[in-house]
Amino acid sequence: MNKQPKDGASMLHESRFFDMTFRGTSNDLSSVKIFTNKNSFEVEKQISFDSEYGQISSLEYFAGSVLSSIILALLEQSKKRDSIIEEIEGVLNLSLENPLTLLGVRGYDEEPFIDKMIVTVYLYADLEDDDFSDFCNNALNHSPVYNTLKRTMDFDVVFKKLI
């Protein structure tokens, strides 16, 4: 559906969409280098079950992106209201279904997927309870990562007011 401005002129694509392109290469055929607009990073594993593994996996980048998007949305909205957040911290818990498939365990071949994510955000903001809730939910509406994922999976965000 292409919305029309009041004057009847058609809207520019750029006024409704921000298109991004990423490139990934694997020169050594064992890791992937991702190129963004101005940066790059390398990923060697989708997920690691090895507690000694020192690199960041794809799943960890994904989870970090989800958590940072939510926290940054809150901080950005706070700045628009003269920095009402004084402290903030978040915790993301995710549940990966069918992990044994990734380990290659015989008899397990169901598709692995993230079944559920719960984000708990602890923040100190000088707001009364109703205003606190309204502020947090409004800020969450400004997170494109959250707004995308909430449509595709069991995804809860809980806000805890620090006193």
Side-chain angles (χ1 to χ4, degrees), residues 54-140:
Q55 303 300 313
I56 300 172
S57 70
S58 295
L59 191 61
E60 290 169 316
Y61 273 114
F62 174 74
S65 294
V66 172
L67 184 56
S68 65
S69 178
I70 290 169
I71 291 173
L72 288 168
L74 287 156
L75 292 172
E76 289 163 6
Q77 293 307 304
S78 174
K79 287 178 187 168
K80 289 181 179 180
R81 292 184 57 180
D82 296 325
S83 297
I84 58 174
I85 293 177
E86 295 180 31
E87 292 180 44
I88 190 166
E89 180 177 329
V91 176
L92 183 144
N93 293 293
L94 68 78
S95 182
L96 180 67
E97 191 159 325
N98 302 318
L100 296 179
T101 301
L102 292 169
L103 292 170
V105 175
R106 267 183 217 203
Y108 292 91
D109 57 2
E110 297 293 320
E111 293 177 345
F113 64 97
I114 298 169
D115 178 56
K116 182 177 188 174
M117 281 198 299
I118 300 171
V119 172
T120 305
V121 180
Y122 303 90
L123 63 150
Y124 180 82
D126 190 19
L127 294 170
E128 296 302 320
D129 290 344
D130 287 344
D131 291 338
F132 177 81
S133 180
D134 290 346
F135 167 76
C136 291
N137 290 317
N138 180 54
L140 198 56

